[in-house]
Amino acid sequence: MKNRVMQLATAIALALATGTAAASGASDVTRATLDNGLRVVIVRDRLAPVVTTEINYLAGSDEVPAGFPGTVHAVEHMMFRGSPGLSKDQLAAIAANMGGAFNADTTQGVTQYYFTAPSQDLDVALRVQSLRMRGVDMAPAAWAKERGAIEQEVSRDLSNPSYKFYEQLQAQLFEGTPYAHTPLGTRDSFNKTTAAMLKRFHDAWYAPNNAILVIAGDVDPVATLAKVKREFGAIPRKTIPARPGFHFKPVMAKTIRLPTDSPYGSVYLGWRMPGLKSADYATAMVLSQALGSQRAALYGMGMNGTALFGGFFDQAMPAAGIGMAVGIFPRGGNPQPVLKRMQAILAKAAAKGIDPALVEAAKRKAIAALEFKKNSVAGLANAWSQALAFQGLESPDAIKQAIEAVTPQAVDALARVTFNPAHAVTAILTPQSSGKPVAGKGFGGAESFSSSPDKSVQLPAWAAKAFAKLAVPRSTLKPTSYTLPNGLRLIVQPESISGTVEVFGQIKTNQDLQSAKGEEGIAGVLGGLFPFGTTTLNRLQYQQALDAISARASAGSSFSLAVPSAHFAQGMRLLADNELHPALPPRAFAVVQHQMAGAVAGQIQSPAFLAAMGLQKALLPAADPQLRYATPKDVMGLDLAKVKAYYAKTFRPDMTTIVVVGKVDPATAKQVVEKAFGGWQREGAKPDVDYAAVPLNKPGQLHVPDSSASQDSVQMAQMIPVTRDNPARFALNLGNQVLGGGFYASRLYHDLRDKSGLVYTVGSRFDLGKHRSTYTVSFGADPDKVAAASAIVVRDLKQMQSEPVSASDLKRAKGILLRQIPLGESSFGAIGGQLLELSIEGKPLNAMTLAGQHYLKLTAKQVQQAYATYIRPTDFVTAVKGPAPKG
């Protein structure tokens, strides 16, 4: 990056007039502390014309009143209900108009509110954040409505057995401290919570001198700092209440047993570990990554057949953390051998230490990860927020020295202290049957909801001015496309924001159309064999070669690589070796085959599978290839010769696209890729791997009992006669932004959550294929609210067909879709995924800009006509997964 000395010098001078500021060691970072105590960090990132603002309040569930664990979570929700000078409806409309991410996250010690939006909307984002710091509307009536929505969120999370286990784990590891409860809250406590209590919490903790504002993206630091001062400078500082202390007790061993609706079982071993602000945090991070390495013994459980999968991960909070070993076992399997093996591995780590080679590899990868964080605007903002607000550091790179200083001896010492069986929390989550789909005629008594007319929202003048003009944004992507002699397509998008390269690849295959009858599951077995290395490098040697260059790679029909740019050629050689010359060893085949059969046995009995398959059977004709699925008998009937034949048949260069994004020029990338993949040959004609068109479905309903859930998960779906190349898709997509895609400002969100509190989340989407497509509305609700919510969905769709959307709704929907164009270019992952999808679908690489031009021209009448022509509100198939209906 170029040094911006003059700009930073100007920024310092500007800040000294009303506060303090300084340039960091990085040339594109500006810091300031306003007179009211607000700390500001501005990180310039030119990846795309996008900006992320994150306001981090140094208050979370640690600071809540006794007996009210969800107070801060409730305050977070109410922050979206409006503030003095900005109504709830105005806030929702502004968020939707900006088109990007507008949300919040509640943790133990920090609550974050963030925008990711086009850089042109920075002024609006800062104004919203400052208004919400000044105050928030906490009317009792508003809290009563929001309480219904937040209780739906509680029901959703409590329907997840993994969350139930995590809740109990925290209580055991952190008894007697604020960490003993999660930030989620409980229904009982919310029923006792008042709006006045929430306002007191906001007024006490939401202050400039208790906040850190991080701004990352394509912005001018000098101008941005001036805007921050204008919006936040006059907000008075406050006296912050005393924070709770942490006095950790020795952890007592405990075993937790829970049923799960998952198709497989899980075994966990959890320990308390150092927190983010601990002097030992870098050591703990290296220890976790070393234990979780693909070369380590826990991962090896999934490679030798002891378990379906094994690994280690950690979650760190400021004052303490959690280290977790995990082992997955098949439905109907015995968890005890997995548990004993995990205990033996951790006992050995405590007694004999960790392989020094794994420690060094973990250190290299942890340091390399600091560079990869630059590959996303939002990710970069997150990294700075994590460092400053959670870790108390000066920058994300500040931990680099601590990581470099970690020694194998320090890692071994921490392992000895941590992995004491007397302090371990053990959990076993066992799959249980839920029953088969049950046909139904309805879901409870009929309720009538009269529709109040939608009113146009009058935006504040400062917001209306920002959104007044609609235009197709200029794309910053300039990809270079090549087709190699063997038919492989290579797309290169150079980016110099970091010293890394990320590769995204896909082979267009379809097991349902390319495998013989009785070979269901063959693609999954093949995919499970790629981690076993190549014909020249076994799995440990292959992973060691990746570790040596701080790279991550995965192979299969979808493949990827993330590597420092200095090692791009070496990384591509390793990826190509795995992709084109997989070892496919007989012993590994036997392991993967049995693992797959065990996993499939659980999957086909799981509520999620039964609901999805029931929905598909109601949508598609009998014997449609999309209805094929693997059984244990199918998987055990496979042999290695069949798998190799399937690989040879389906892995073709002329069905493959590789996208390279990062610090590499197109010519060099072409040379490297051609050298690595150029010898790959094709045989025969290209296969057709797209499903054929099908008739439209008839309406239907089904219910899949799920005794482990406390909330229903609902999918309302139908086949539609619009494909991904049909021009009508533009009008349907535009209308979807009005109905279900605009989140806070969408009709479904407004009617189902905001007005009635029937659901926590709701969304609608089109899945458009080459020959067949579906339209789906999904939501989660308590069982007694499903009928009412479904009726509102149908009612809102009929309204889309019977009358044109308002001019303000149409303009907002267009603004959302247009602003999403630069947002789709704000990370390497988004760029790679977009270019890969466009290539696979045979569309031009500037298709997003062309779509923007279509959206700009559409009228409300055209949207209404599209919904009237292609959507059938009374012909949904409704699949409900959740508690059995009462009565």
Side-chain angles (χ1 to χ4, degrees):
M1 302 177 189
K2 296 181 179 178
N3 195 312
R4 308 190 64 82
V5 176
M6 294 303 296
Q7 285 196 357
L8 294 179
T10 306
I12 294 171
L14 178 65
L16 288 175
T18 55
T20 60
S24 78
S27 60
D28 278 346
V29 179
T30 301
R31 305 171 186 267
T33 300
L34 306 192
D35 286 343
N36 60 10
L38 177 66
R39 285 191 281 165
V40 183
V41 174
I42 303 166
V43 187
R44 191 166 194 178
D45 185 322
R46 302 172 186 81
L47 179 61
V50 169
V51 65
T52 292
T53 67
E54 287 188 351
I55 186 82
N56 299 274
Y57 292 100
L58 306 184
S61 62
D62 296 349
E63 286 75 27
V64 301
F68 295 88
T71 297
V72 68
H73 186 196
V75 171
E76 174 216 305
H77 276 246
M78 294 302 291
M79 287 281 279
F80 293 85
R81 283 265 169 187
S83 298
L86 185 67
S87 72
K88 170 184 65 65
D89 290 340
Q90 289 174 329
L91 177 59
I94 287 171
N97 271 297
M98 292 171 73
F102 172 49
N103 217 320
D105 185 38
T106 302
T107 69
Q108 282 76 14
V110 179
T111 306
Q112 297 178 301
Y113 298 87
Y114 55 87
F115 273 108
T116 296
S119 300
Q120 69 196 57
D121 295 328
L122 174 62
D123 293 35
V124 177
L126 292 176
R127 175 69 64 90
V128 169
Q129 299 281 38
S130 68
L131 287 172
R132 299 203 298 174
M133 180 181 285
R134 285 182 169 90
V136 62
D137 292 334
M138 294 284 190
W143 165 236
K145 287 185 177 180
E146 192 60 34
R147 182 171 56 211
I150 202 171
E151 287 178 349
Q152 292 298 317
E153 180 184 5
V154 171
S155 290
R156 181 198 65 182
D157 287 348
L158 290 178
S159 292
N160 185 335
S162 295
Y163 177 82
K164 294 178 185 177
F165 151 62
Y166 181 74
E167 196 174 41
Q168 294 184 46
L169 173 70
Q170 277 201 221
Q172 189 70 12
L173 291 179
F174 307 119
E175 181 185 2
T177 76
Y179 288 172
H181 60 80
T182 74
L184 180 67
T186 64
R187 281 190 178 235
D188 288 343
S189 66
F190 288 134
N191 287 334
K192 294 184 291 184
T193 299
T194 66
M197 293 170 59
L198 301 181
K199 188 175 189 305
R200 283 197 298 271
F201 188 93
H202 176 279
D203 292 348
W205 294 99
Y206 282 51
N209 53 311
N210 195 43
I212 301 171
L213 174 61
V214 173
I215 302 170
D218 190 13
V219 297
D220 177 84
V222 177
T224 299
L225 184 56
K227 293 173 183 177
V228 171
K229 292 177 181 297
R230 184 175 65 244
E231 295 296 344
F232 293 89
I235 302 175
R237 66 167 57 234
K238 298 177 182 177
T239 300
I240 305 302
R243 300 183 187 278
F246 286 84
H247 306 288
F248 295 109
K249 304 175 183 178
V251 178
M252 302 301 292
K254 180 179 180 179
T255 298
I256 300 167
R257 299 180 186 274
L258 290 169
T260 177
D261 61 351
S262 171
Y264 49 78
S266 305
V267 178
Y268 296 98
L269 287 174
W271 288 271
R272 190 165 68 212
M273 293 186 72
L276 292 166
K277 294 184 177 181
S278 167
D280 293 324
Y281 173 64
T283 303
M285 180 171 59
V286 171
L287 170 62
S288 296
Q289 293 196 18
L291 287 171
S293 167
Q294 292 188 28
R295 294 158 58 194
L298 285 169
Y299 184 84
M301 294 194 308
M303 308 303 285
N304 63 23
T306 302
L308 299 180
F309 171 81
F312 192 95
F313 61 91
D314 67 288
Q315 178 186 346
M317 297 165 284
I322 300 172
M324 188 81 65
V326 59
I328 305 300
F329 63 93
R331 185 187 189 94
N334 183 0
Q336 291 305 313
V338 178
L339 175 59
K340 289 181 179 179
R341 178 59 181 150
M342 291 166 60
Q343 291 170 331
I345 291 171
L346 275 301
K348 182 178 179 181
K352 298 185 178 180
I354 311 296
D355 182 350
L358 295 183
V359 171
E360 291 306 315
K363 289 172 60 177
R364 286 195 299 271
K365 283 198 169 183
I367 292 170
L370 300 174
E371 188 72 7
F372 282 104
K373 288 178 181 178
K374 300 175 183 177
N375 295 348
S376 163
V377 174
L380 184 62
N382 252 337
W384 277 88
S385 290
Q386 180 78 5
L388 274 64
F390 291 82
Q391 294 177 267
L393 302 175
E394 287 299 307
S395 75
D397 286 340
I399 199 164
K400 181 178 179 180
Q401 284 186 319
I403 295 172
E404 290 174 333
V406 172
T407 64
Q409 292 76 20
V411 171
D412 292 347
L414 182 59
R416 282 195 299 273
V417 172
T418 301
F419 301 131
N420 185 336
H423 303 310
V425 177
T426 304
I428 301 174
L429 278 60
T430 304
Q432 68 176 26
S433 297
S434 64
K436 297 183 178 180
V438 179
K441 295 182 179 180
F443 305 99
E447 292 189 47
S448 174
F449 284 78
S450 58
S451 174
S452 59
D454 289 335
K455 297 179 180 179
S456 296
V457 179
Q458 185 70 37
L459 292 177
W462 48 270
K465 181 179 179 181
F467 303 132
K469 185 179 179 181
L470 294 179
V472 179
R474 179 183 61 85
S475 172
T476 58
L477 299 185
K478 296 180 180 178
T480 300
S481 179
Y482 305 96
T483 300
L484 304 189
N486 60 5
L488 184 149
R489 187 176 188 187
L490 169 65
I491 302 169
V492 185
Q493 174 61 36
E495 298 288 353
S496 58
I497 202 70
S498 74
T500 68
V501 176
E502 296 190 35
V503 177
F504 310 85
Q506 184 173 336
I507 305 168
K508 193 173 179 183
T509 66
N510 187 333
Q511 175 186 246
D512 293 339
L513 300 179
Q514 293 181 284
S515 66
K517 185 177 180 179
E519 293 184 0
E520 289 80 3
I522 195 168
V525 173
L526 173 61
L529 289 170
F530 281 97
F532 286 89
T534 75
T535 53
T536 56
L537 297 172
N538 66 35
R539 75 169 185 89
L540 295 178
Q541 292 170 332
Y542 179 75
Q543 190 59 46
Q544 184 176 10
L546 288 172
D547 288 346
I549 58 174
S550 302
R552 303 187 310 272
S554 64
S557 58
S558 291
F559 52 95
S560 64
L561 171 70
V563 62
S565 54
H567 302 299
F568 172 59
Q570 190 174 352
M572 285 301 292
R573 285 197 299 271
L574 288 169
L575 176 63
D577 191 24
N578 197 193
E579 193 73 14
L580 306 185
H581 310 291
L584 307 181
R587 290 183 64 183
F589 168 75
V591 169
V592 172
Q593 183 182 38
H594 281 84
Q595 288 176 327
M596 180 79 173
V600 163
Q603 180 186 19
I604 61 178
Q605 298 179 64
S606 68
F609 175 85
L610 293 171
M613 184 53 60
L615 185 63
Q616 290 288 78
K617 286 181 177 179
L619 290 172
L620 299 170
D624 187 271
Q626 198 170 342
L627 297 176
R628 295 178 66 182
Y629 64 90
T631 67
K633 181 180 178 181
D634 295 326
V635 175
M636 293 309 297
L638 297 173
D639 57 45
L640 186 55
K642 291 178 180 178
V643 173
K644 290 182 176 180
Y646 180 80
Y647 168 78
K649 176 182 178 181
T650 60
F651 277 53
R652 300 172 55 103
D654 56 346
M655 299 290 284
T656 302
T657 297
I658 293 178
V659 178
V660 177
V661 184
K663 194 171 184 179
V664 60
D665 66 85
T668 300
K670 179 177 181 290
Q671 183 181 25
V672 169
V673 172
E674 199 158 23
K675 185 174 182 180
F677 286 89
W680 189 11
Q681 297 301 313
R682 55 192 174 186
E683 293 183 9
K686 291 177 67 172
D688 183 0
V689 295
D690 292 296
Y691 293 112
V694 293
L696 300 182
N697 64 278
K698 295 178 180 180
Q701 294 179 333
L702 62 100
H703 179 268
V704 176
D706 184 355
S707 58
S708 69
S710 57
Q711 186 184 64
D712 280 339
S713 175
V714 184
Q715 300 280 323
M716 301 174 64
Q718 63 179 254
M719 305 301 299
I720 60 171
V722 178
T723 63
R724 67 188 183 211
D725 296 319
N726 189 322
R729 72 187 187 276
F730 298 113
L732 291 173
N733 284 334
L734 186 59
N736 193 51
Q737 292 301 317
V738 174
L739 183 68
F743 194 47
Y744 293 108
S746 75
R747 289 186 183 178
L748 291 177
Y749 181 90
H750 177 263
D751 291 343
L752 290 175
R753 172 174 167 166
D754 192 41
K755 284 180 63 177
S756 62
L758 293 172
V759 309
Y760 174 62
T761 58
V762 59
S764 55
R765 71 180 188 274
F766 290 97
D767 295 305
L768 305 180
K770 187 174 183 180
H771 304 300
R772 62 172 66 171
S773 304
T774 58
Y775 173 60
T776 306
V777 179
S778 57
F779 59 87
D782 287 343
D784 61 347
K785 295 180 172 65
V786 171
S790 301
I792 291 176
V793 171
V794 172
R795 184 203 70 195
D796 284 359
L797 275 169
K798 288 182 176 179
Q799 185 181 9
M800 292 288 293
Q801 298 178 318
S802 62
E803 57 188 74
V805 299
S806 68
S808 59
D809 280 350
L810 185 69
K811 183 177 181 180
R812 182 173 63 246
K814 290 182 178 181
I816 292 171
L817 291 171
L818 291 172
R819 281 174 161 79
Q820 284 176 355
I821 294 175
L823 295 171
E825 303 174 2
S826 62
S827 71
F828 282 18
I831 293 169
Q834 179 185 128
L835 294 175
L836 189 62
E837 182 178 358
L838 293 175
S839 175
I840 292 294
E841 293 185 354
K843 294 183 177 180
L845 299 184
N846 66 340
M848 304 309 293
T849 296
L850 298 176
Q853 295 168 357
H854 281 283
Y855 294 136
L856 205 56
K857 297 174 183 177
L858 282 169
T859 66
K861 189 68 177 177
Q862 289 172 312
V863 172
Q864 178 190 354
Q865 184 177 358
Y867 273 75
T869 302
Y870 298 109
I871 304 301
R872 300 166 294 133
T874 59
D875 284 350
F876 279 107
V877 175
T878 302
V880 180
K881 179 183 76 70
K886 295 180 180 180

